[in-house]
Amino acid sequence: MAEVKVPELAESISEGTVGKWLKQQGEAVAMGDILLELETDKVNVEIIAENEGVLTQVLKEEGDTVKVGETIAVIDEAGAASTPKAESKPAPTSQPALEVKAQPAVTQEEESKQSVVASPAARKHARERGIDLNEITTMDPLGRVRKHDVSTFDPSQQVATPKQAAPAPKAAPQAEEVNPAKPVERQRMSRRRQTIAKRLVEVQQSAAMLTTFNEVDMTAIMALRNKRKDAFEKKNNVKLGFMSFFTKAVIGALKKFPLLNAEIQGDEIVLKKFYDIGIAVSAPEGLVVPVVRDADRMSFAEIEKGIGDLAVKARDNKLALSDLQGGTFTITNGGVFGSLLSTPILNAPQVGILGMHTIQTRPVAIDQERMENRPMMYIALSYDHRIVDGREAVGFLVTVKNLLEDPESLLLEG
């Protein structure tokens, strides 16, 4: 027998959630087959079979939390040939025997227990402790009783339960509230979505976050792109987008205002002398921030290629943990979805994030006598006021604006 264990994931990740089993119990597996997908805080990890045989035991169900090193399944290396027989004959003969033993106890009570949605591990643990699953309250969003719920259940707090067997009707109000004309659907939050939610709340509770705004006249950049885009794409085999301009402008501003390229550790400020820029990308399971490493040493083409590759990996759910770790400053572009203005939330432990927005043609005063319609973009800088003062924040954003409005200067400053 070979045990399937949760592999080492990364230093900061000690557990995950069983996402989806791709092989079922009793199914033959070959070495290298993908057994299941494991959801972690940052990426989904495919667990590969390291042995050939039959998946005889699935110890963890979809939605269960598992720790690194924990056994989640068993493969019988000698059971490949006997799989069909093992499934067709023993099951019918042994299964009824188990049912016959369980039947005489209390038919209605057993029936009631079976109506409770619970994991196999929870049912086993409840039997060992002599606990009625109906008495256990679970915090699971789908109402499923977990082993943890059974372990933490205190029967002494349920002394009044026998008398109050009638309170079970308390579930009735829920049923009564369900209006067929107003249907709802419950979905389990993915582990990544839970982590995103938790971290966003933590940032707002722990950082002194403030946002300052400015606007950029995109005329010069758009003219330069229109002039150079064909030659650029032909030479570099990648399109010239706006992100390389903004990345270069951000790096130039970070060099001038280094506190925005820092983080707080205890009572110390860690100033980073490198520029690993996180680029927020919308993925199927939520926003992720892959990192372009040493962006200050990269050309416009290298930045565009790097961002493009990371975006494809994010959408295909192929990002590695190394793609997401680190990062000294983040750029997020809500403009691709049509956002005109927003206040981006910090990507902790970073202390700064730049928000780009949609380009909108607006009348702009050229001087006291002339007005022109110009392609304008609002930009927003959210920063941690604990170490970044308003002067640095405003100066940073003005620097970004000036560099973008004079894109040739990016070759010197960026």
Side-chain angles (χ1 to χ4, degrees):
M1 297 288 184
E3 294 182 338
V4 179
K5 297 188 176 183
V6 179
E8 291 289 335
L9 301 169
E11 286 185 15
S12 60
I13 299 178
S14 61
E15 63 179 25
T17 300
V18 177
K20 182 180 181 182
W21 280 98
L22 302 178
K23 293 288 184 179
Q24 303 304 314
Q25 186 166 303
E27 190 174 345
V29 296
M31 190 180 300
D33 281 354
I34 301 172
L35 298 175
L36 72 150
E37 290 180 355
L38 187 70
E39 296 177 4
T40 72
D41 294 350
K42 296 181 178 179
V43 295
N44 288 3
V45 179
E46 294 176 341
I47 306 298
I48 307 296
E50 297 181 358
N51 306 83
E52 184 174 332
V54 174
L55 188 63
T56 53
Q57 294 183 56
V58 172
L59 305 177
K60 296 293 180 179
E61 294 185 349
E62 294 178 4
D64 286 350
T65 297
V66 293
K67 296 187 179 297
V68 169
E70 187 173 357
T71 301
I72 55 177
V74 176
I75 294 176
D76 182 357
E77 296 168 286
S82 61
T83 311
K85 291 181 183 177
E87 291 209 351
S88 57
K89 288 188 180 178
T93 52
S94 59
Q95 202 85 353
L98 289 173
E99 288 175 9
V100 171
K101 282 184 182 178
Q103 259 340 23
V106 181
T107 310
Q108 287 183 344
E109 184 181 342
E110 186 64 28
E111 207 174 302
S112 174
K113 287 180 182 177
Q114 290 301 323
S115 68
V116 176
V117 180
S119 68
R123 290 187 183 280
K124 181 182 176 185
H125 198 37
R127 283 196 301 272
E128 290 171 351
R129 293 189 60 193
I131 293 174
D132 184 352
L133 289 172
N134 288 290
E135 296 177 356
I136 299 176
T137 302
T138 178
M139 298 301 291
D140 184 273
L142 297 178
R144 175 183 290 177
V145 177
R146 306 284 184 186
K147 184 179 178 182
H148 173 75
D149 299 320
V150 180
S151 301
T152 56
F153 176 71
D154 185 358
S156 65
Q157 295 180 359
Q158 305 291 319
V159 179
T161 306
K163 273 188 183 180
Q164 295 176 6
K170 280 188 179 177
Q174 260 190 342
E176 289 173 9
E177 290 174 10
V178 176
N179 186 341
K182 298 182 182 296
V184 298
E185 179 184 350
R186 290 181 182 271
Q187 295 182 349
R188 182 179 69 86
M189 289 175 69
S190 68
R191 188 176 189 86
R192 188 184 301 169
R193 175 53 63 185
Q194 292 178 47
T195 302
I196 291 172
K198 180 181 176 184
R199 289 183 178 173
L200 291 178
V201 172
E202 284 176 351
V203 167
Q204 292 191 310
Q205 291 176 341
S206 62
M209 198 174 78
L210 197 62
T211 305
T212 186
F213 305 91
N214 213 313
E215 62 179 350
V216 178
D217 184 343
M218 299 290 288
T219 302
I221 287 180
M222 294 179 77
L224 182 59
R225 280 184 72 231
N226 289 333
K227 181 180 179 182
R228 301 288 185 182
K229 64 180 181 180
D230 293 337
F232 184 91
E233 184 173 2
K234 184 177 180 180
K235 179 181 178 180
N236 302 294
N237 199 30
V238 65
K239 291 183 178 180
L240 179 59
F242 291 124
M243 289 307 300
S244 52
F245 288 96
F246 275 82
T247 302
K248 287 285 188 180
V250 160
I251 293 168
L254 288 175
K255 289 179 178 178
K256 192 172 180 181
F257 299 95
L259 280 173
L260 280 147
N261 201 49
E263 70 174 79
I264 300 172
Q265 291 182 4
D267 58 357
E268 292 182 331
I269 296 173
V270 181
L271 291 165
K272 299 174 183 177
K273 304 296 185 179
F274 56 95
Y275 303 91
D276 290 350
I277 307 300
I279 306 295
V281 177
S282 179
E285 291 187 17
L287 195 72
V288 290
V289 187
V291 179
V292 178
R293 310 285 175 187
D294 298 316
D296 58 314
R297 303 177 186 178
M298 301 172 76
S299 66
F300 279 74
E302 288 170 333
I303 291 174
E304 293 291 352
K305 286 179 182 176
I307 294 173
D309 291 344
L310 291 170
V312 170
K313 289 171 72 174
R315 293 184 189 110
D316 293 343
N317 206 18
K318 299 294 183 184
L319 284 171
L321 290 170
S322 58
D323 294 323
L324 299 166
Q325 291 172 332
T328 61
F329 187 93
T330 294
I331 303 174
T332 181
N333 185 4
V336 296
F337 304 111
S339 172
L340 183 62
L341 196 61
S342 67
T343 56
I345 298 177
L346 292 172
N347 181 22
Q350 298 170 21
V351 297
I353 180 171
L354 180 76
M356 299 166 57
H357 299 91
T358 193
I359 299 172
Q360 187 179 63
T361 301
R362 296 196 295 272
V364 176
I366 305 302
D367 52 38
Q368 290 185 341
E369 297 179 355
R370 293 180 301 153
M371 298 279 289
E372 284 187 13
N373 288 331
R374 295 287 183 93
M376 305 298 293
M377 176 192 287
Y378 288 119
I379 55 175
L381 173 72
S382 291
Y383 60 97
D384 193 337
H385 210 344
R386 289 180 296 172
I387 64 169
V388 180
D389 291 332
R391 182 183 66 83
E392 282 106 356
V394 172
F396 174 94
L397 208 55
V398 169
T399 300
V400 170
K401 168 186 169 68
N402 291 338
L403 288 171
L404 291 170
E405 291 183 344
D406 180 18
E408 291 180 4
S409 64
L410 293 175
L411 298 174
L412 303 174
E413 301 294 335

